[in-house]
Amino acid sequence: MKRIVEIVPARPGWYARWRLGPDATRCYPVTLWALLEGADGGGREVVGVDCVGQWPGADDDGAGDFVRYLFQTPDAGVPEDAEPSATGEPRDGVPRRMAVAPTA
């Protein structure tokens, strides 16, 4: 089992690309980077968590296969296969909602 050692926010422009089918991919913005390590303190790796909460190696990483991370400067726009919604939707098509605390 791996544990999270450190979490840092991702800078704008980083994307995780997932293969959805033989000829289809989808990019989601990476929201944070997590440093993971094995229970014995070895086997460190950095993974990016995208805006729908998926990362390579997760038990429930959806129907897609992770392809790669890519960086595109914000002034260059978004990748052609980027998720069109601002918040992103999971690859299974079921929207995830964040709980919002009521305001006084």
Side-chain angles (χ1 to χ4, degrees), residues 20-86:
L20 303 180
D23 298 322
T25 59
R26 179 66 62 150
C27 282
Y28 295 90
V30 172
T31 56
L32 61 89
W33 297 104
L35 174 61
L36 306 177
E37 73 176 21
D40 62 355
R44 286 185 162 199
E45 67 178 316
V46 174
V47 296
V49 180
D50 65 27
C51 68
V52 293
Q54 302 299 303
W55 67 91
D59 291 338
D60 61 346
D61 64 1
D65 294 318
F66 177 73
V67 176
R68 68 184 183 108
Y69 296 110
L70 64 124
F71 180 78
Q72 191 157 322
T73 59
D75 60 331
V78 298
E80 288 181 7
D81 60 346
E83 170 60 41
S85 71

